[in-house]
Amino acid sequence: QKWQTAESNLIYFIVCGISYAKSCGKSADDFGDWAGKVAAPSWRETKKKGVRGLVEGIARNKQQFQSFEIEILFESTMSVQARIKGFGEDLVRQRPRQEITVDDYIRFFDKKWVAIANYMGLDYKQHVEDDWVIFSVTEKN
């Protein structure tokens, strides 16, 4: 029950942030970029680990969700491609009275990880396929 409450509270704060951004004429993308830039300095030590460090950090960050899954699809010293699901999307779907969509929620995280990756000297890209978010992290040229 504590775990479910914690998940629900986290979703609530992300949804509130996106909703507030929208009420100010901004977007989920803007809120994600802001959140990533606020968080980026706490990734200082992880920065030394390169692409693997960011992917491990994303996996650690999502462990708060009971249904979280991650699969590594490709890995080299310069690039990692993985897929994730179960990081709160279903909880967002269960909030039908709000004006925040699952797409907003996923875009929030996209821009959050892009901002953190930029801080780390990396590129982050993602897209959605079925229930999965497929993402890649690569060293910047």
Side-chain angles (χ1 to χ4, degrees):
Q1 185 180 12
K2 285 183 182 181
W3 201 347
Q4 289 173 335
T5 301
E7 286 180 343
S8 183
N9 284 340
L10 176 60
I11 298 302
Y12 166 77
F13 280 105
I14 293 170
V15 166
C16 279
I18 294 169
S19 179
Y20 180 72
K22 285 183 167 190
S23 76
C24 296
K26 303 284 183 174
S27 67
D29 299 49
D30 295 319
F31 180 55
D33 182 57
W34 177 264
K37 287 175 180 172
V38 168
S42 67
W43 290 71
R44 185 176 311 116
E45 289 301 311
T46 305
K47 187 176 184 177
K48 299 172 188 173
K49 297 179 182 179
V51 294
R52 186 168 180 82
L54 181 56
V55 174
E56 289 173 353
I58 290 169
R60 254 190 334 274
N61 188 273
K62 301 296 183 203
Q63 291 303 310
Q64 66 233 10
F65 294 103
Q66 297 176 68
S67 60
F68 174 69
E69 295 180 48
I70 184 168
E71 294 178 13
I72 303 299
L73 304 173
F74 170 82
E75 182 175 6
S76 74
T77 57
M78 302 290 286
S79 179
V80 174
Q81 184 180 40
R83 66 184 194 163
I84 58 175
K85 70 177 178 178
F87 57 95
E89 315 91 309
D90 287 342
L91 293 171
V92 175
R93 279 187 197 95
Q94 293 171 14
R95 297 174 174 259
R97 292 181 309 243
Q98 67 194 20
E99 296 179 16
I100 308 305
T101 65
V102 173
D103 183 58
D104 290 328
Y105 182 76
I106 289 172
R107 284 193 347 267
F108 160 81
F109 280 109
D110 178 24
K111 298 308 176 191
K112 175 187 170 189
W113 297 126
V114 165
I116 292 169
N118 282 336
Y119 171 83
M120 295 177 67
L122 305 170
D123 282 319
Y124 175 92
K125 292 183 177 27
Q126 75 176 37
H127 67 279
V128 177
E129 285 183 21
D130 300 318
D131 292 343
W132 294 91
V133 172
I134 313 292
F135 70 92
S136 63
V137 179
T138 56
E139 295 280 342
K140 285 191 178 189
N141 293 332

